[in-house]
């Protein structure tokens, strides 16, 4: 992530949610619906892949911290880092008790093996492809042995996702990467037990729709996906 990205997101810190909402208005769903889907997926992965009941978590590229209120009771110590100081200021105002820190877009400001769970939620498409491997390597570095690295990204094969990205002001230079590409990056860095699942396939906020979507998580048509691996 470069100085350009820092300046870009500094400029959107006070209306980030509104800009995202405008890009997905055609779906008829609020931004919160999509954030809740991500939180639910993380809850499932924690239950399935981690021994820690309330893991210590790092959110890389956390922005204004929109996801963090949904993680209460799910994780223990929660930290977030971002290249945008203005976004972090907003996150601190909205979320007390979270450890927010700036970083240079390359090296995370934490020691090796500091967290049980390290996530990057819709961040890697802002990283230039030449730096994807380094980004994954940093995620793995700060993850404890047996901990989980999880990347949540837009699915480039979903036409509605591509429409939302095209409509989003700060995604104009985004380079979308598939679940297969992300899994390969994780494998190349030595992560184990690598997997992925797609979600946000059905645009209905009902229990039957959510159960059906869970059954179809292996179908690579969902609007977003999570790729994950064990450190």
């Amino acid at each position: 992530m470069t100085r350009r990205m820092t300046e870009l997101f500094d400029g959107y810190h006070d209306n980030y949610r509104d800009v995202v909402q405008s890009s997905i208005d055609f779906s008829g769903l609020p931004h919160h619906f999509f954030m809740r889907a991500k939180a639910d997926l993380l809850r499932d992965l924690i239950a399935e892949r981690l021994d820690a009941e309330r893991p210590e978590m790092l959110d890389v590229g956390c922005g204004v911290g929109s996801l963090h209120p949904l993680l209460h009771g799910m994780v223990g110590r929660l930290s977030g880092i971002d290249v945008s100081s203005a976004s972090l200021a907003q996150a601190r105002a909205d979320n007390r008790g979270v450890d927010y820190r700036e970083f240079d877009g390359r090296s995370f400001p934490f020691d090796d093996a500091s967290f049980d769970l390290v996530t990057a939620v819709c961040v890697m498409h802002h990283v230039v492809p030449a730096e994807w491997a380094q980004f994954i390597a940093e995620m793995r570095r700060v993850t404890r042995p047996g901990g989980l690295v999880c990347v949540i990204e837009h699915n480039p094969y979903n036409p509605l996702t591509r429409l939302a990205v095209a409509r989003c002001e700060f995604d104009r230079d985004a380079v979308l990467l598939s679940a297969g590409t992300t899994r390969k990056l994780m494998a190349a860095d030595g992560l184990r037990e690598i997997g992925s699942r797609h979600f946000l396939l059905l645009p209905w906020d009902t229990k039957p729709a959510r159960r059906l979507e869970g059954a179809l998580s292996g179908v690579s048509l969902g609007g977003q996906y999570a790729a994950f691996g064990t450190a």
Side-chain angles (χ1 to χ4, degrees), residues 19 30 39 41 46 112 129 135-136 158 190:
V19 172
L41 185 146
I46 288 169
D112 296 357
F135 189 87
I136 293 292
N158 183 290

Side-chain angles (χ1 to χ4, degrees), residues 42-189:
L42 287 172
R43 178 181 289 108
D44 291 345
L45 286 176
I46 288 169
E48 296 167 12
R49 301 289 297 258
L50 290 175
D51 293 332
E53 184 176 345
R54 295 183 63 198
E56 297 184 349
M57 173 178 165
L58 172 63
D59 185 10
V60 181
C62 65
V64 297
S66 299
L67 181 65
H68 298 167
L70 302 175
L71 302 178
H72 289 163
M74 187 189 310
V75 300
R77 177 171 65 101
L78 176 60
S79 300
I81 59 175
D82 203 277
V83 297
S84 168
S85 58
S87 295
L88 290 177
Q90 184 66 55
R92 291 187 185 101
D94 292 343
N95 303 294
R96 302 233 175 146
V98 180
D99 175 20
Y100 290 111
R101 304 187 191 184
E102 293 181 43
F103 85 115
D104 60 8
R106 186 170 177 83
S107 299
F108 300 170
F110 293 99
D111 293 335
D112 296 357
S114 292
F115 299 93
D116 303 303
L117 172 62
V118 179
T119 64
V121 180
C122 296
V123 173
M124 283 192 66
H125 63 265
H126 293 298
V127 179
V128 297
E131 297 176 2
W132 284 346
Q134 166 65 21
F135 189 87
I136 293 292
E138 272 296 281
M139 293 184 72
R140 182 177 185 272
R141 180 185 67 78
V142 299
T143 304
R144 292 173 180 139
L148 194 66
V149 172
C150 178
V151 170
I152 295 177
E153 265 299 336
H154 298 311
N155 178 12
Y157 301 127
N158 183 290
L160 294 181
T161 292
R162 297 197 73 93
L163 175 60
V165 170
R167 288 165 53 98
C168 188
E169 296 175 20
F170 47 72
D171 278 345
R172 288 172 182 161
D173 296 331
V175 180
L176 302 186
L177 62 165
S178 68
T181 297
T182 307
R183 291 195 306 267
K184 288 177 181 177
L185 288 165
M186 290 179 166
D189 195 60

